Amino acid sequence: MHRIKYLALFISVAILFFISCNKNEEEDYTYSISKVWWTDSIDANLDKYATSKRLNLNVRIQENVSRRINARIFFKPHDASSFTFYSFMGERDVQGGDIDNHLSIAVGNPNKELSRGLYDFKIEIYEVSAGRVEAFVDPAENSLLSSQRFEESSNDKNYSIQVRWSDKRDRNANDYWQHARLNINVDIDAAMQKSVKAKLYYKSSSESNYKLYYEFPIFQIYGQDIKDTVSYVIGSQNIELLTGAYDFRIELYELNSNILVALADETLPELNDVKFEAEKDDEYYYTISNISWSNQVDLDADTYTQFRRLNFKVDVDKNSERTIFAKIYYRHPDSTDYSRYDSTANFKITGNLATNVKFINVGASAIQLDSAKYDFLISIYEPTDSDVESFQVSSGASVDTLLAKQKFELPSRDIKK
């Protein structure tokens, strides 16, 4: 009998615990939609009917928690009685503490387009882990969700923006550009010439607000001609960007109008999370030191050698491994120009390690030098994928006396007496 009582008590406690857990999992937090607004209205034919607009909202949770939410957007013709589902905004984490969390979605192109007319909208916020509506707003609560003008892009004069990066500067090869050229090609879907103007904005990928980076002078476009591409260098050559990921935004306007006719922003992969770094973090510099001569061969002891080894050390001012090669040049005293003597194969150096040494043999084993006092020059290069060599640093007779007026003679004249 006692065992039955204990079993019943245990079951009762378990049920209460299960109910309590479910209640905690479905904790009711205080949600609100604090603000709704529209941006980025695209109306190329300037008839006040947009082919696309961005619907923005701020969501707040009063309690100091973090929740994962989504939003459902509904629409209807203004005179209709019921709403139809349009789209989800997408799952995202939002923070409580009664702060604004920004969400947005493009209504119209490139999403589902709306035929020409006036439309009303409704927004519902819900937690991903639960299905109930936590907050909503409709035209009765916010007039900005009522009578919005839309039309399909086929009824508009359509502009498009294509972007591509070139001339990327990344000295340390870490995929963060010191600077790069952003090329912008603007097309229009008709064989017509238009005068347009463009504004380029940027922001850190972790931020919400864009800042103006550059405003292009007025330029001409014609149909879909790629030759009307314009470009601008972003990074250290202009406004320097500190190390990080950046988003970019291009706004296009027709001449003498402030109505947006085309837009490209971080929704394009080419303009999203683009990595840049400051010049000081990307640049590095080489130095040539410890120049010396060894292994001299001077059979007649007249101080003119038929052979010597030129030793040198190359360091880089950052503790990283670099691949380089060296060229040695020489100049006869009767000449004003240097001639290439020899070059090394590619070799690796790291920071200022003692192992960053190299040598080139000068004399009998390579080009033989007639009796004279020669100047020498050591030049350091980085290998590239093109035919253009990447010169880095040099050291010559004007810098180091051990490279000036070095005495050499032909082996045939270096005879032991």
Side-chain angles (χ1 to χ4, degrees):
M1 186 69 180
H2 288 295
R3 292 174 63 186
I4 295 174
K5 288 182 178 179
Y6 284 131
L7 180 60
L9 179 61
F10 175 78
I11 292 173
S12 298
V13 171
I15 291 172
L16 289 172
F17 178 77
F18 178 77
I19 293 173
S20 175
C21 286
N22 276 351
K23 184 177 180 181
N24 287 337
E25 288 178 2
E26 297 183 4
E27 191 72 45
D28 192 8
Y29 296 110
T30 310
Y31 282 83
S32 64
I33 299 175
S34 61
K35 184 180 179 182
V36 175
W37 71 103
W38 295 90
T39 59
D40 302 341
S41 177
I42 305 297
D43 178 19
N45 60 9
L46 309 181
D47 64 354
K48 299 184 180 178
Y49 282 80
T51 59
S52 174
K53 282 196 280 190
R54 181 164 293 277
L55 177 57
N56 303 270
L57 60 144
N58 285 339
V59 176
R60 291 187 177 187
I61 308 174
Q62 184 173 319
E63 293 77 14
N64 191 21
V65 294
S66 175
R67 309 298 291 171
R68 189 161 185 81
I69 69 167
N70 204 334
R72 288 184 283 255
I73 310 300
F74 299 85
F75 78 108
K76 69 178 182 66
H78 179 64
D79 294 332
S81 57
S82 60
F83 282 94
T84 300
F85 175 74
Y86 180 79
S87 178
F88 294 102
M89 276 195 168
E91 296 182 10
R92 65 206 65 197
D93 295 318
V94 295
Q95 300 301 315
D98 209 28
I99 64 172
D100 286 329
N101 297 272
H102 178 235
L103 289 76
S104 71
I105 186 174
V107 177
N109 187 29
N111 296 319
K112 178 181 178 179
E113 296 192 6
L114 304 179
S115 58
R116 187 179 177 90
L118 303 180
Y119 292 88
D120 296 343
F121 295 86
K122 181 175 70 171
I123 306 166
E124 292 181 351
I125 303 297
Y126 65 96
E127 291 188 355
V128 173
S129 60
R132 68 173 182 264
V133 176
E134 301 290 352
F136 78 94
V137 61
D138 60 18
E141 295 185 336
N142 193 315
S143 61
L144 289 176
L145 296 176
S146 176
S147 302
Q148 293 294 319
R149 299 170 183 246
F150 282 90
E151 68 178 350
E152 294 175 317
S153 58
S154 59
N155 295 328
D156 206 353
K157 180 174 57 183
N158 294 301
Y159 289 86
S160 61
I161 300 174
Q162 295 84 40
V163 298
R164 140 184 100 78
W165 294 94
S166 64
D167 303 331
K168 305 158 190 173
R169 173 75 166 178
D170 180 17
R171 284 269 288 168
N172 55 18
N174 66 349
D175 295 327
Y176 283 77
W177 302 334
Q178 180 187 144
H179 56 78
R181 181 175 296 278
L182 179 60
N183 303 276
I184 302 169
N185 178 37
V186 178
D187 289 334
I188 187 168
D189 63 355
M192 61 174 65
Q193 182 170 312
K194 300 294 292 186
S195 296
V196 295
K197 53 188 179 180
K199 293 181 180 180
L200 172 63
Y201 295 85
Y202 77 109
K203 69 176 181 66
S204 170
S205 294
S206 61
E207 296 176 342
S208 300
N209 298 322
Y210 280 96
K211 295 175 285 188
L212 181 66
Y213 192 91
Y214 179 69
E215 188 166 352
F216 287 87
I218 295 166
F219 59 99
Q220 306 289 321
I221 66 167
Y222 182 83
Q224 298 182 14
D225 190 348
I226 197 171
K227 292 184 291 186
D228 52 24
T229 297
V230 295
S231 67
Y232 192 68
V233 175
I234 295 174
S236 61
Q237 292 186 338
N238 295 292
I239 299 175
E240 187 172 52
L241 300 179
L242 300 180
T243 302
Y246 292 85
D247 298 333
F248 295 90
R249 172 186 171 96
I250 303 162
E251 294 180 355
L252 185 72
Y253 302 87
E254 289 188 351
L255 182 62
N256 301 322
S257 172
N258 290 319
I259 296 177
L260 198 63
V261 296
L263 170 70
D265 60 13
E266 75 270 20
T267 56
L268 287 179
E270 295 88 348
L271 299 178
N272 178 250
D273 284 343
V274 187
K275 295 176 181 178
F276 281 87
E277 66 183 348
E279 182 177 358
K280 66 180 180 60
D281 297 324
D282 188 54
E283 287 292 350
Y284 49 88
Y285 301 95
Y286 294 100
T287 55
I288 301 172
S289 63
N290 295 11
I291 294 172
S292 65
W293 295 92
S294 64
N295 300 73
Q296 294 94 339
V297 177
D298 180 15
L299 299 180
D300 59 9
D302 64 353
T303 70
Y304 282 77
T305 58
Q306 61 169 289
F307 173 85
R308 269 188 276 167
R309 175 169 291 173
L310 176 57
N311 308 280
F312 55 94
K313 184 173 185 283
V314 184
D315 295 325
V316 62
D317 67 343
K318 286 184 172 58
N319 189 30
S320 60
E321 183 181 85
R322 307 303 305 171
T323 299
I324 59 174
F325 65 95
K327 290 184 179 182
I328 307 302
Y329 298 85
Y330 71 105
R331 182 173 61 191
H332 189 277
D334 295 336
S335 175
T336 57
D337 298 322
Y338 281 94
S339 299
R340 190 174 76 87
Y341 185 84
D342 201 359
S343 62
T344 69
N346 291 347
F347 62 97
K348 296 182 183 296
I349 64 167
T350 301
N352 61 352
L353 296 181
T355 54
N356 296 344
V357 294
K358 204 67 179 173
F359 67 84
I360 285 185
N361 293 326
V362 180
S365 62
I367 299 175
Q368 297 179 358
L369 301 178
D370 200 358
S371 297
K373 297 179 181 179
Y374 294 87
D375 291 340
F376 289 88
L377 177 71
I378 305 171
S379 293
I380 304 300
Y381 299 83
E382 287 185 346
T384 67
D385 296 330
S386 68
D387 294 333
V388 179
E389 294 175 329
S390 178
F391 170 76
Q392 301 300 318
V393 69
S394 65
S395 183
S398 61
V399 176
D400 195 308
T401 56
L402 286 175
L403 295 175
K405 295 181 172 52
Q406 296 298 308
K407 299 175 181 179
F408 279 85
E409 66 181 352
L410 294 172
S412 59
R413 294 191 178 184
D414 186 32
I415 299 174
K416 188 175 182 178
K417 298 176 182 179

